[in-house]
Amino acid sequence: MGGGYIKFKNTVRIVVIDSGIDTEISDLGKYVAVSTGFRLNEEGYITEYPQMEVRYQHGTIISLIIRHICSSIELISLNILNENAATDGRILLYAMSRALDYQPDIVHMSLGTARWKYKRYIRRIAREADRRNIALVAAASNQGPESYPACVKGVFGVKGGNFSENLHYSYKSGFFYAPLNAAGVPGYGGEDLSRASGTSISAAFITGHLANIRLNTGPINNRNLKKILLENQS
């Protein structure tokens, strides 16, 4: 269980719930402390698969963006995407709950669900995270409909926008807005991540900014964390 895991000194611990993180890319290997994943087995039960294969680079790209903004981080990778780059709502809920066991500073989710039936369970996890001063960051849907966790109270919900600099962000109507594109962020083989786009990219930028704040302030409740993030918007 993650609850007994010893945190690296002078780092911000971030759980990334996504497609896994490829530790062979760039220097991500030195940031990833734990890699595991969850799937439904043949009987329909959620099963943990440590060292699950990384089939998609989505989580890796997210991690590169976060690392670009704040390098004093420790990453916990929870891989929940199947062969179709999708997941089951039950697995999302389970991963969110397990993420709290690692006692992180931030839980990052560049994904979510539009199924309303999961909202109350996500709300319950969000309340517990807030009680523990754990920030939940989630990307809103690219298609527009209300999605969760991004639209749950207490979650740092993120949408995308156009900015002159990739470190700029803003806030409007309950959501943070950050660049939709990762141009200028170092990626693979010397190339940047300019082809990566979407609200999932935007959410990664916000997580990076939150990590910098937590690094400078130390333990802080989410209300004050949000206040500082708002004060720094540009």
Side-chain angles (χ1 to χ4, degrees):
M1 295 294 289
Y5 190 81
I6 299 174
K7 182 180 178 182
F8 292 167
K9 187 177 181 180
N10 299 322
T11 60
V12 176
R13 179 180 290 177
I14 304 171
V15 174
V16 178
I17 301 177
D18 207 283
S19 64
I21 301 171
D22 188 343
T23 57
E24 299 299 317
I25 298 298
S26 186
D27 60 349
L28 288 177
K30 73 178 186 180
Y31 296 98
V32 178
V34 176
S35 290
T36 191
F38 308 107
R39 295 282 191 280
L40 293 179
N41 63 20
E42 294 181 356
E43 288 75 36
Y45 294 105
I46 297 173
T47 305
E48 181 170 4
Y49 296 93
Q51 301 301 324
M52 183 179 291
E53 178 186 0
V54 178
R55 298 181 177 180
Y56 308 99
Q57 296 301 321
H58 190 266
T60 303
I61 291 171
I62 295 306
S63 301
L64 287 168
I65 295 169
I66 296 170
R67 190 278 317 270
H68 176 68
I69 299 176
C70 181
S71 59
S72 296
I73 56 173
E74 172 192 356
L75 299 173
I76 309 293
S77 174
L78 302 186
N79 184 344
I80 67 169
L81 298 189
N82 60 26
E83 63 276 4
N84 299 314
T87 192
D88 185 288
R90 293 168 292 174
I91 297 177
L92 172 60
L93 292 173
Y94 183 77
M96 290 180 67
S97 180
R98 280 291 302 273
L100 304 189
D101 291 341
Y102 287 98
Q103 301 176 13
D105 300 295
I106 303 168
V107 176
H108 177 91
M109 296 164 284
S110 278
L111 42 74
T113 177
R115 302 189 70 176
W116 186 84
K117 71 177 183 178
Y118 294 117
K119 183 178 180 180
R120 64 175 176 146
Y121 301 106
I122 293 174
R123 186 188 295 125
R124 187 179 304 162
I125 296 170
R127 284 198 296 264
E128 179 60 22
D130 187 63
R131 188 184 70 80
R132 301 189 196 182
N133 297 329
I134 299 171
L136 302 185
V137 180
S141 171
N142 282 303
Q143 283 70 45
E146 186 170 286
S147 61
Y148 319 107
C151 294
V152 170
K153 182 180 179 181
V155 174
F156 289 80
V158 185
K159 295 185 177 183
N162 296 312
F163 296 83
S164 58
E165 300 288 340
N166 64 18
L167 295 183
H168 290 178
Y169 64 91
S170 62
Y171 183 81
K172 180 181 178 182
S173 302
F175 289 90
F176 284 92
Y177 286 77
L180 278 164
N181 184 275
V185 177
Y188 302 85
E191 297 183 2
D192 71 4
L193 299 174
S194 57
R195 288 183 292 179
S197 63
T199 58
S200 59
I201 301 302
S202 309
F205 280 113
I206 293 300
T207 289
H209 291 302
L210 288 173
N212 270 330
I213 295 172
R214 286 297 298 261
L215 185 65
N216 291 321
T217 65
I220 185 175
N221 64 45
N222 286 329
R223 180 178 299 177
N224 288 328
L225 183 63
K226 182 177 180 179
K227 180 180 178 182
I228 297 173
L229 187 62
L230 289 169
E231 290 172 349
N232 293 337
Q233 66 180 305
S234 57

